[in-house]
Amino acid sequence: MTFEDQIITAAVVQKLEGRGYNDDILPKQTSERTMGARNFFTLWMGSVHNVPNYNAVAGFLFPVAGGLVLGLPPMGVMLAVALAGAIVTAFMVSNGVAGSKYGIPFAICLRSTYGNLGAKLPGFLRGCVAAIGWFAVQTYLGSKALYIILVRLFPAFADIAPGVDILGISVPGLVAFMVFWLANVAIGIGGGSVLNKFTAILSPLIYVLVIGMTVWAVGAAGGMEGILSYQVVTTGAVNPVFAYFVIFSSVLAVWAAPGASVSDFTRDATSTRAQAKGQAFGLVVGYVVFAICSVIIMVGGSIHDGVQYLDILELIGNWSSSPAVIFAMLCFLLSTISTNATGNVIPAALQLSALLPDRIDYRRGILIASLVSVAILPWKLMEGGGIATFLNTIGAVLGPVAGCMMANFYLVRRQRLDLNQLYMNPAADNTGNPYFGLKKSAYAATLMALILCLLGHFIPALSSLSNISWFVGFLSAAILYVLLERLERKV
């Protein structure tokens, strides 16, 4: 991996701007990039500690109705999650190099792989379907924490309009959702500069909470021995080696969307070295702490109350101390906002801007994405395990996309991109431009990898492929893309 960055000057940007591209899509000038290693260090550290991640760890530890029983002991889950964090780190750093080297956003990185027309579908899947859907779900989960805070502060809040549901949600629940939704929209409109300040405040708070909860859980369980020796009585657990890969794939699926579009952030890096160091330290430290603390908290709390908690908010909500509950819920609220901004609402806005650059700028993209996130009724999406199906599908789709992107940048393009051709003039004859039109090899590789990922849902003997769909999709798409590219060049 090279750490030599291309100098993007004002003259380069002005030349490309004259072709009709808006500021959100144009490459970032080297002199305008403001995110150093420290910014990237704090960017993801707080995002690791969010409600869905804690609930996922609970799913690894305890049997879930209709789910895959892993049968790993607490120490095994800790190790698997920490190792998964290292894999996530390698993915995020490597896929961020194109952004930090050339200052280009995800939409243009996609163009280098799929062509200017071909980039629209994978861009829509990540920036609109995955980002908006995940934004909606995160906002709903965060609003549940806000609801608990409001009820603790004002018990009568829970009794507003009793028995009245609006589109499947209670009136107090809808109020909490809309208030929290507005907070997320405000941070999203503020963009990267506001987010940097926000995460700098959040990271210390979330770690104070997590360490405090860990100490409490150890005491509540009667010591570490009880936590580490905790056994779940199961039958038919999967092979331990395969269980590790299931956890790896599950953690990577959570990062499938932000990992695919990480160039939306690394394009603002002061250098490739800065984003590599910042992301590496932030994610590795974040995941080691998370792996240890999340298992201790979920197991310790379950031992203390005699209930296998699958929801971190339910565990906290049963504490007797209202100040402790309010502080914990507030920290998770802030973490959810950080995760939403970095992984969902900002990428959605940028991708909408890329799809219709002459009509939608960044702020309009934020508003459109935010409104759609309400319209899809995320509280209904969460019913009956629908969210798990949604996320597994998105992981299966974006794994192949990421595989093609990285194979293209490292193995086909050898980390060399031509901005003059990437930002093609729509009024000119682009015949012969390697980025023009639809890249058949990338589409064929993505489609074949996607089919392979989904076969397990229809052929029981291949169900293991679907359980590690991100790995299967990423590796198969990357290999197929390189083979098809070489075959195409020989023809």
Side-chain angles (χ1 to χ4, degrees):
M1 181 186 297
T2 179
F3 290 107
E4 296 176 0
D5 300 302
Q6 177 167 308
I7 303 299
I8 309 298
T9 64
V12 171
V13 175
Q14 287 174 0
K15 179 181 178 181
L16 301 177
E17 190 176 18
R19 298 176 181 179
Y21 295 94
N22 62 42
D23 291 339
D24 300 320
I25 301 301
L26 288 168
K28 270 288 187 88
Q29 293 182 45
T30 305
S31 60
E32 293 179 339
R33 303 181 196 178
T34 58
M35 290 185 69
R38 182 178 178 180
N39 298 120
F40 282 101
F41 177 79
T42 59
L43 179 64
W44 302 120
M45 281 189 70
S47 298
V48 170
H49 296 273
N50 59 62
V51 174
N53 276 357
Y54 275 86
N55 293 352
V57 168
F60 301 150
L61 290 164
F62 309 130
V64 181
L68 191 66
V69 180
L70 300 183
L72 288 178
M75 183 63 79
V77 174
M78 286 184 192
L79 180 59
V81 173
L83 290 174
I87 300 172
V88 167
T89 301
F91 171 44
M92 298 286 282
V93 170
S94 300
N95 206 34
V97 171
S100 58
K101 184 175 182 180
Y102 293 98
I104 57 177
F106 169 61
I108 301 301
C109 290
L110 276 181
R111 178 178 288 192
S112 73
T113 304
Y114 291 91
N116 69 314
L117 295 178
K120 295 185 181 298
L121 178 58
F124 177 78
L125 289 173
R126 190 280 174 255
C128 300
V129 177
I132 294 176
W134 195 223
F135 170 52
V137 168
Q138 288 271 28
T139 303
Y140 172 62
L141 290 173
S143 73
K144 291 173 66 178
L146 179 59
Y147 174 86
I148 293 172
I149 291 176
L150 291 173
V151 171
R152 285 283 180 143
L153 291 173
F154 312 103
F157 178 76
D159 298 324
I160 296 175
V164 177
D165 280 357
I166 300 176
L167 299 175
I169 189 172
S170 68
V171 173
L174 182 60
V175 170
F177 176 83
M178 294 307 300
V179 170
F180 189 59
W181 175 82
L182 286 172
N184 281 268
V185 174
I187 295 295
I189 290 176
S193 59
V194 173
L195 185 60
N196 287 340
K197 298 175 183 177
F198 185 83
T199 54
I201 297 172
L202 166 65
S203 292
L205 280 179
I206 195 71
Y207 279 87
V208 168
L209 169 67
V210 167
I211 293 172
M213 288 180 66
T214 303
V215 172
W216 167 82
V218 171
M224 281 297 296
E225 183 178 353
I227 292 174
L228 295 179
S229 61
Y230 185 81
Q231 291 285 336
V232 176
V233 179
T234 61
T235 56
V238 302
N239 179 283
V241 175
F242 183 68
Y244 272 76
F245 279 94
V246 170
I247 292 177
F248 294 163
S249 188
S250 297
V251 173
L252 280 159
V254 172
W255 290 89
S261 61
V262 67
S263 54
D264 282 339
F265 294 94
T266 59
R267 68 190 292 238
D268 202 32
T270 54
S271 69
T272 296
R273 186 180 297 276
Q275 70 91 354
K277 287 175 61 179
Q279 289 201 99
F281 282 108
L283 284 167
V284 168
V285 172
Y287 257 102
V288 168
V289 173
F290 172 74
I292 296 170
C293 294
S294 62
V295 171
I296 291 174
I297 291 167
M298 299 309 296
V299 174
S302 296
I303 291 174
H304 180 263
D305 293 343
V307 177
Q308 290 182 351
Y309 284 113
L310 295 174
D311 187 344
I312 186 69
L313 298 182
E314 183 182 353
L315 186 157
I316 297 171
N318 284 334
W319 290 353
S320 58
S321 171
S322 290
V325 169
I326 292 170
F327 175 71
M329 293 297 182
L330 182 61
C331 287
F332 276 112
L333 282 177
L334 296 176
S335 178
T336 301
I337 291 175
S338 173
T339 304
N340 254 343
T342 54
N344 303 313
V345 68
I346 290 177
L350 290 172
Q351 190 56 43
L352 287 168
S353 177
L355 290 172
L356 296 170
D358 55 335
R359 297 183 181 181
I360 301 176
D361 59 12
Y362 174 77
R363 290 200 169 193
R364 287 182 181 177
I366 290 285
L367 294 175
I368 292 171
S370 301
L371 290 172
V372 173
S373 73
V374 178
I376 64 176
L377 308 180
W379 47 89
K380 302 292 290 184
L381 187 64
M382 292 286 285
E383 293 179 354
I387 184 59
T389 302
F390 170 77
L391 290 177
N392 285 337
T393 302
I394 292 301
V397 169
L398 294 181
V401 170
C404 284
M405 288 176 65
M406 290 187 64
N408 175 73
F409 185 68
Y410 287 100
L411 302 178
V412 176
R413 303 291 178 192
R414 305 289 181 180
Q415 300 187 53
R416 298 186 184 92
L417 301 177
D418 188 331
L419 295 186
N420 185 52
Q421 291 183 317
L422 265 177
Y423 288 88
M424 60 192 68
N425 189 342
D429 181 8
N430 290 292
T431 304
N433 188 323
Y435 308 115
F436 180 69
L438 185 150
K439 197 73 174 295
K440 294 179 181 178
S441 56
Y443 260 77
T446 301
L447 181 59
M448 287 188 283
L450 175 61
I451 292 173
L452 189 61
C453 288
L454 298 178
L455 276 178
H457 292 297
F458 306 100
I459 304 175
L462 298 177
S463 61
S464 58
L465 294 179
S466 297
N467 292 327
I468 54 172
S469 59
W470 192 94
F471 272 115
V472 172
F474 180 90
L475 293 174
S476 60
I479 293 169
L480 287 168
Y481 176 69
V482 172
L483 292 176
L484 290 171
E485 275 289 297
R486 291 180 178 176
L487 181 63
E488 188 177 291
R489 292 181 182 185
K490 289 181 179 180
V491 174

